[in-house]
Amino acid sequence: MRAAARLVASAEQVQAAIAAMAAQLAGRFRGRDPVVLAVMHGGVFPAVQIVRHFDFPYEFDYVHATRYKRRLTGGALEWLVRPRAALRGRAVVLVDDVLDRGDTLAALQREVARVGPAEVCTAVLVVKRVPESIARPPVDVVGLETDDVYLFGCGMDYKGYWRGLPELYAADGR
């Protein structure tokens, strides 16, 4: 599969995007003891890379909600680990790998807001360009923008594989 895929962003381009995201987040959250909340599985990859740039204290946690389950199209959202009450009154940085139609991120934002954080900032490594008619939740910090194609690498998988690639690839859907 990888050999037939198209390179969308090199490892260097991805790392530059991660560094830029980290700089934006650091400027906003340094000195505030934020909780960096990674979205399992894919959001853990950019979240870990982002916090490696931080030179200030932060807490790291995760939520786990899935729609894909090794499929190429999303289904109903299934919660495996919901946000914890320890987020109440805290600054929260919600990190995910990709924004497609926005269903998962919208549900995550609602669920995090339910526990009462002081502030929620969303950071997404890749935002896909989709028609303006698709209403998506807001994203505060974006690393890269791509066409609306199936992506893998950098936390995103192809049928459960290739998440750990440092580059970003587009698959043809097979």
Side-chain angles (χ1 to χ4, degrees):
M1 163 72 302
R2 182 178 175 190
R6 176 176 53 88
L7 181 67
V8 173
S10 69
E12 293 78 16
Q13 290 170 311
V14 171
Q15 287 309 304
I18 294 281
M21 293 174 74
Q24 289 178 54
L25 293 167
R28 184 168 172 179
F29 293 102
R30 182 177 282 111
R32 298 188 53 203
D33 188 28
V35 177
V36 176
L37 194 62
V39 179
M40 288 294 280
H41 291 300
V44 171
F45 290 78
V48 167
Q49 292 181 58
I50 287 168
V51 299
R52 286 183 177 152
H53 292 272
F54 288 177
D55 62 353
F56 57 90
Y58 61 88
E59 192 173 339
F60 195 94
D61 203 352
Y62 73 98
V63 293
H64 194 172
T66 183
R67 292 183 52 238
Y68 285 86
K69 299 179 190 170
R70 296 185 179 217
R71 295 182 308 250
L72 298 181
T73 57
L77 185 71
E78 178 184 349
W79 280 99
L80 302 174
V81 177
R82 291 182 183 269
R84 297 171 207 11
L87 301 178
R88 185 173 311 282
R90 302 278 304 276
V92 175
V93 181
L94 182 64
V95 182
D96 206 358
D97 54 356
V98 63
L99 178 67
D100 289 298
R101 301 298 182 263
D103 298 333
T104 303
L105 185 61
L108 289 164
Q109 289 172 330
R110 283 191 303 273
E111 195 66 16
V112 169
R114 185 184 61 75
V115 298
E119 174 183 1
V120 177
C121 172
T122 55
V124 177
L125 178 58
V126 178
V127 171
K128 292 183 182 180
R129 290 183 284 271
V130 298
E132 289 182 21
S133 61
I134 297 174
R136 298 191 296 184
V139 175
D140 300 300
V141 178
V142 174
L144 301 164
E145 289 190 22
T146 70
D147 292 332
D148 187 14
V149 295
Y150 193 92
L151 300 169
F152 65 94
C154 304
M156 292 157 261
D157 71 293
Y158 182 82
K159 298 182 180 179
Y161 296 91
W162 300 113
R163 283 186 195 278
L165 296 174
E167 308 88 10
L168 185 62
Y169 292 91
D172 64 8
R174 283 186 268 158

